[in-house]
């Protein structure tokens, strides 16, 4: 069911009205503007006679609770335009009259003639028999009684211009959230706190993964040694998987002639996301690549291909740049410079199913390795009522069927989203649910009937005639940046041992243990773990052992090995695990055994 049709949506809308009612009682003279439900709650925009502060929210919330408990019936009233005006000016907020009605009157004027005008009224009779009511011009729908609004919280304040126009007056926006049960509300608030602690921008800095510099530019991350190590480990892992699966690596330049991007259609259709054109003296113009695909097209087109050569799979960890609006840049989740784990597969139509199975299998393998086990797929298909699509209907049907069949065969849960395809082909997006229950759209597989057409790609079929291959774009991570952002938040920086930038920190207790610590580090770096040499650091700073332990713990290093006199004598190491704490002294071989399980 769509959120807009759900009970929760109505509940949150009613909570917004309840907030407005509380405001009119506590802040006479406040002018109400609009108060809709939004993704995680609701808000109301209000002009206050004196500036509202965060400290005022608990009082408002208490008033809302009081009003909610009164079990006010929420009733819909349909009225004529004349009645509507009268209600707004005279009755909506008893005693205030026209003085607070500006925004509501403007809203009324904005409703086209002929449209039904409705108010929602929440009213009660008090012990003395006096009728109290609060009416708000609103399309609805709402819940039946304020009593149903029992799990809510006012969250924060923000400024918002009336009608979103900076030329208009700035109003105060009060954000709140509401749920059907107290338990759901508690969980939501808990998750918000957790999300703050896990914010990849904060952790990225604390853990020394990446940084930004105003002198370098907005959205252009600088990868620090630990972050660069993380990238290397991930790249290395995927590269090996790709070699096993018959991919061939290619490398292409950071810039390309505008001619290339005219041919690919990016100059016409993707211009606003591209950095400005660079003119060189010799009448040539270049652009920074926003995508790797056109280069891979050229490589494919450079040779005559036979049906026996297909599929061809070109993979590149391609660094691309896209000019995202500065307001949309978000840490490394949405950067202007990033690296796609890109590949383009050129296949015969009869190979589509097998190739899809291969791609989906690779994606599942990648996510499993990264410890992301809660995911589903969304298959984006044609909007049957539109004719904006390129490629024959038969091809589309075959590709959609192949995508779905691949998901079924591999047991990947999926939903079909009609109209979600690009104009050039159907696609599959992977949606990952993280530890806090948030959805992340990550890896993608995209069938493309457009680029092979534009670049006139061919292969010679068994019938000795030229045929057009189908092209598949795919990126299991989405991008390295986005995936590292997700993993940082998923693990709150405590990456699994195989992925951790530093896997083992050796902590000599005193200077006289430094030499042994260096020797141990060399020995461990010669040890292979998860197909790679162990990543080891030696913390030989002249600090107390307690301080070194604390700091390595904060750096979320999976294991610390502590070396003191007794260890040197007995040939042991003192082991501390990130998860299990002090494990005591043990022989190195015992530790390595433990590490490998
Ligand atoms: Zn409303
Ligand atoms: Zn591509």
């Amino acid at each position: 069911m769509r959120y807009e049709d759900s009970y929760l949506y109505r509940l949150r809308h009613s909570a917004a009205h309840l907030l407005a009612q509380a405001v009119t009682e506590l802040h006479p003279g406040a002018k109400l503007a609009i108060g809709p439900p939004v993704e995680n709650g609701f808000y109301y925009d209000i002009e206050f006679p004196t500036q509202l502060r965060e400290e005022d929210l608990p009082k408002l919330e208490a008033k809302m609770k009081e009003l909610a408990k009164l079990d006010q019936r929420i009733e819909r009233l349909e009225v004529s335009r004349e009645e509507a005006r009268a209600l707004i000016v005279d009755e909506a907020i008893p005693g205030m009259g026209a003085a607070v009605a500006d925004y509501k009157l403007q809203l009324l004027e904005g409703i086209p003639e002929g449209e039904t005008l409705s108010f929602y009224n929440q009213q009660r009779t008090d012990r003395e028999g006096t009728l109290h009511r609060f009416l708000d011009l609103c399309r609805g729908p709402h819940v039946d009684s304020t009593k149903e609004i029992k799990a809510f919280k006012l969250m924060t304040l923000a400024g918002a211009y009336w009608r979103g126009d900076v030329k208009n007056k700035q109003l105060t926006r009060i954000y709140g959230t509401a749920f059907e049960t107290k338990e759901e509300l508690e969980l939501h608030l808990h998750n918000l706190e957790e999300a703050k602690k896990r914010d990849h921008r904060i952790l990225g800095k604390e853990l020394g993964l990446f940084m930004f510099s105003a002198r370098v530019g907005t959205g252009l991350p600088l990868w620090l040694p630990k972050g660069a190590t993380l990238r290397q480990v991930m790249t290395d892992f995927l590269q090996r998987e790709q070699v096993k699966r018959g991919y061939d690596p290619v490398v292409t330049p950071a810039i390309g002639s505008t001619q290339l991007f005219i041919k690919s259609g990016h100059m016409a259709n993707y211009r606003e996301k591209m950095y400005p054109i660079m003119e060189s003296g010799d009448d040539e113009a270049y652009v920074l690549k926003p995508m790797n695909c056109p280069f891979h097209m050229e490589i494919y087109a450079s040779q005559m291909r036979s049906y026996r050569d297909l599929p061809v799979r070109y993979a590149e960890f391609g660094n691309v740049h896209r000019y995202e609006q500065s307001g949309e840049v978000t840490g490394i989740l949405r950067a202007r410079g990033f690296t796609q784990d890109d590949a383009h597969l050129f296949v015969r139509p009869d190979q589509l199913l097998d190739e899809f199975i291969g791609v989906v299998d690779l994606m599942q393998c990648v996510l499993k390795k990264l410890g992301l086990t809660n995911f589903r797929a969304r298959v984006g298909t044609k909007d049957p009522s539109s004719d904006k699509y390129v490629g024959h209907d038969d091809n589309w049907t075959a590709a959609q069927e192949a995508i779905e069949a691949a998901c079924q065969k591999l047991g990947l849960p999926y939903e079909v989203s009609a109209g979600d395809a690009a104009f050039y082909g159907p696609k599959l997006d992977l949606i990952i649910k993280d530890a806090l229950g948030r959805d992340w759209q990550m890896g993608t597989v995209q069938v493309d009937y457009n680029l092979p057409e534009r670049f006139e790609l061919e292969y010679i079929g068994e019938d000795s005639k030229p045929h057009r291959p189908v092209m598949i774009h795919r990126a299991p991570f989405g991008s390295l940046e986005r995936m590292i952002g997700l993993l940082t938040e998923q693990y709150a920086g405590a990456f699994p041992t195989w992925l951790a930038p530093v896997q083992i920190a050796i902590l000599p207790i005193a200077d006289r243990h430094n030499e042994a610590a260096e020797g141990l580090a060399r020995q461990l770096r010669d040890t292979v773990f998860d197909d790679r040499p162990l990543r080891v650091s030696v913390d030989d700073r002249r600090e107390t052992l307690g301080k070194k332990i604390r700091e390595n713990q904060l750096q979320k290093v999976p294991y610390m090995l502590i070396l003191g006199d007794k260890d040197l004598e007995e040939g042991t190491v003192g082991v501390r695990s990130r998860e299990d704490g002090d494990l005591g002294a043990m022989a190195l071989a015992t530790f390595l055994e433990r590490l490998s399980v």
Side-chain angles (χ1 to χ4, degrees):
M1 194 208 290
R2 289 189 327 148
Y3 174 47
E4 288 76 8
D5 302 324
S6 68
Y7 175 76
L8 184 61
Y9 191 81
R10 273 186 287 147
L11 183 72
R12 286 174 173 169
H13 193 169
S14 300
H17 281 219
L18 186 67
L19 165 61
Q21 186 179 18
V23 166
T24 59
E25 300 210 359
L26 289 183
H27 301 268
K31 299 177 179 182
L32 303 175
I34 53 162
V38 287
E39 197 189 342
N40 284 309
F42 60 88
Y43 68 78
Y44 217 113
D45 285 350
I46 299 163
E47 186 189 327
F48 281 89
T50 52
Q51 188 58 49
L52 192 77
R53 295 157 307 155
E54 298 267 349
E55 304 91 270
D56 301 323
L57 292 181
K59 237 189 204 166
L60 264 178
E61 204 176 284
K63 189 66 176 176
M64 286 171 74
K65 285 211 172 93
E66 187 191 313
L67 291 169
K69 280 199 198 114
L70 293 172
D71 190 12
Q72 306 175 78
R73 274 172 301 122
I74 304 178
E75 284 171 340
R76 181 183 168 92
L77 246 67
E78 290 188 5
V79 295
S80 71
R81 199 161 279 265
E82 268 323 297
E83 289 167 318
R85 200 165 287 125
L87 273 180
I88 290 173
V89 173
D90 304 330
E91 265 193 82
I93 303 151
M96 296 309 299
V100 295
D102 340 353
Y103 299 114
K104 293 294 175 189
L105 285 174
Q106 288 186 53
L107 287 171
L108 178 64
E109 270 156 38
I111 302 175
E113 288 297 334
E115 206 166 288
T116 310
L117 297 173
S118 59
F119 280 77
Y120 276 81
N121 178 25
Q122 40 212 53
Q123 67 176 32
R124 68 189 194 268
T125 312
D126 67 17
R127 277 194 209 110
E128 286 83 48
T130 315
L131 184 72
H132 296 266
R133 52 197 232 157
F134 171 75
L135 285 124
D136 203 353
L137 176 69
C138 177
R139 210 178 290 137
H142 283 273
V143 298
D144 297 328
S145 159
T146 57
K147 214 172 71 179
E148 295 172 52
I149 315 165
K150 43 186 185 258
F152 62 89
K153 183 165 174 57
L154 295 182
M155 304 296 291
T156 179
L157 295 178
Y161 294 101
W162 168 234
R163 296 195 192 280
D165 188 338
V166 290
K167 287 190 238 90
N168 289 338
K169 196 158 212 158
Q170 198 179 36
L171 310 175
T172 301
R173 176 168 295 180
I174 306 175
Y175 279 104
T177 190
F179 286 86
E180 287 174 44
T181 63
K182 290 226 162 66
E183 291 73 26
E184 286 167 298
L185 175 66
E186 286 306 317
L187 181 65
H188 176 73
L189 297 176
H190 168 80
N191 283 348
L192 281 181
E193 274 306 305
E194 262 307 298
K196 249 190 243 164
K197 279 190 239 157
R198 289 167 184 244
D199 188 320
H200 77 280
R201 291 166 292 190
I202 295 166
L203 282 174
K205 199 170 173 187
E206 285 174 5
L207 300 176
L209 301 179
F210 56 83
M211 60 170 277
F212 289 93
S213 151
R215 245 194 302 276
V216 172
T218 304
L220 301 169
L222 301 172
W223 287 89
L224 303 173
K226 286 183 183 166
T229 302
L230 203 52
R231 291 170 62 102
Q232 244 164 27
V233 174
M234 288 170 63
T235 310
D236 185 34
F237 157 69
L238 182 53
Q239 226 152 22
R240 286 170 197 223
E241 282 303 322
Q242 288 179 166
V243 171
K244 283 188 213 163
R245 293 158 197 264
Y247 283 77
D248 289 314
V250 293
V251 177
T252 67
I255 63 171
S257 157
T258 48
Q259 292 308 315
L260 177 67
F261 291 96
I262 288 168
K263 182 130 185 112
S264 69
H266 287 102
M267 290 302 281
N269 303 313
Y270 205 70
R271 189 73 192 84
E272 79 282 0
K273 286 260 176 128
M274 291 162 73
Y275 275 84
I277 297 170
M278 295 169 265
E279 311 266 2
S280 71
D282 44 10
D283 276 347
E284 291 204 66
Y286 296 89
V287 286
L288 197 48
K289 72 174 170 188
M291 289 185 189
N292 307 298
C293 343
F295 296 88
H296 295 190
M297 300 293 127
E298 283 294 303
I299 298 176
Y300 180 93
S302 66
Q303 290 178 31
M304 181 75 100
R305 311 279 177 171
S306 133
Y307 68 96
R308 284 187 310 266
D309 300 330
L310 269 45
V312 168
R313 309 180 189 91
Y314 289 143
E316 174 173 22
F317 288 85
N319 190 228
V320 296
H321 288 84
R322 295 180 189 168
Y323 195 78
E324 302 287 353
Q325 296 298 312
S326 58
E328 286 173 356
V329 172
T330 316
I332 52 169
L333 290 183
R334 193 135 178 209
R336 286 180 176 168
F338 57 96
T339 304
Q340 284 183 305
D341 52 325
D342 212 356
H344 295 98
L345 284 63
F346 302 87
V347 313
R348 302 193 307 258
D350 64 289
Q351 293 170 323
L352 255 184
L353 177 59
D354 281 345
E355 284 309 302
F356 254 108
I357 291 173
V359 169
V360 172
D361 181 62
L362 172 63
M363 290 181 131
Q364 283 180 310
C365 157
V366 166
L367 294 184
K368 199 171 148 226
K369 176 78 176 173
L370 295 171
L372 301 168
T373 48
N374 193 349
F375 56 86
R376 62 183 201 278
R378 187 171 54 216
V379 180
T381 60
K382 252 184 187 180
D383 170 0
S385 66
S386 166
D387 57 1
K388 67 172 181 180
Y389 304 99
V390 300
H392 294 292
D393 276 351
D394 295 354
N395 289 339
W396 273 76
T397 310
Q400 280 166 206
E401 281 172 6
I403 296 174
E404 288 190 53
C407 293
Q408 283 161 10
K409 181 156 184 242
L410 296 169
L412 174 64
Y414 69 95
E415 67 208 29
V416 176
S417 180
D420 222 17
F423 77 93
Y424 51 84
K427 67 171 176 174
L428 176 147
D429 289 316
L430 278 181
I431 296 144
I432 297 169
K433 219 178 237 328
D434 76 0
L436 300 183
R438 298 172 298 180
D439 280 341
W440 300 66
Q441 192 187 312
M442 301 301 288
T444 170
V445 194
Q446 174 80 61
V447 180
D448 193 333
Y449 292 109
N450 180 48
L451 284 177
E453 198 76 33
R454 281 180 163 270
F455 282 81
E456 295 146 24
L457 301 188
E458 285 179 349
Y459 67 91
I460 303 301
E462 219 166 341
D463 56 3
S464 306
K465 291 193 183 109
H467 296 267
R468 188 128 294 162
V470 184
M471 204 265 280
I472 303 172
H473 316 247
R474 47 102 280 186
F477 295 151
S479 76
L480 271 166
E481 284 72 8
R482 224 176 125 66
M483 187 51 93
I484 290 175
L486 162 58
L487 291 172
T488 305
E489 300 204 359
Q490 167 81 2
Y491 291 112
F495 300 107
T497 305
W498 76 273
L499 201 54
V502 175
Q503 296 165 313
I504 300 169
I506 302 173
L507 278 53
I509 294 176
D511 281 356
R512 63 181 178 282
H513 310 120
N514 286 355
E515 210 184 301
E518 284 301 337
L520 178 59
R522 276 194 299 275
Q523 192 181 348
L524 288 171
R525 287 179 189 129
D526 272 340
T527 308
V528 171
F529 171 74
D530 195 49
D531 288 339
R532 288 161 205 88
L534 275 169
R535 297 181 292 278
V536 183
S537 72
V538 176
D539 189 350
D540 56 7
R541 292 173 303 158
R542 283 196 168 152
E543 299 285 358
T544 62
L545 182 63
K547 185 166 182 190
K548 288 187 196 179
I549 290 176
R550 257 192 322 278
E551 287 180 5
N552 280 285
Q553 190 78 28
L554 283 175
Q555 286 296 304
K556 322 235 169 167
V557 179
Y559 289 98
M560 289 178 234
L561 299 183
I562 297 158
L563 274 186
D565 289 335
K566 200 151 179 272
D567 296 301
L568 296 197
E569 247 166 62
E570 296 176 5
T572 57
V573 288
V575 181
R576 270 193 90 90
S577 126
R578 182 179 61 195
E579 276 77 31
D580 305 324
D582 191 357
L583 301 177
M586 59 179 84
L588 184 63
T590 316
F591 165 69
L592 288 175
E593 238 166 70
R594 190 197 149 89
L595 185 68
S596 61
V597 274

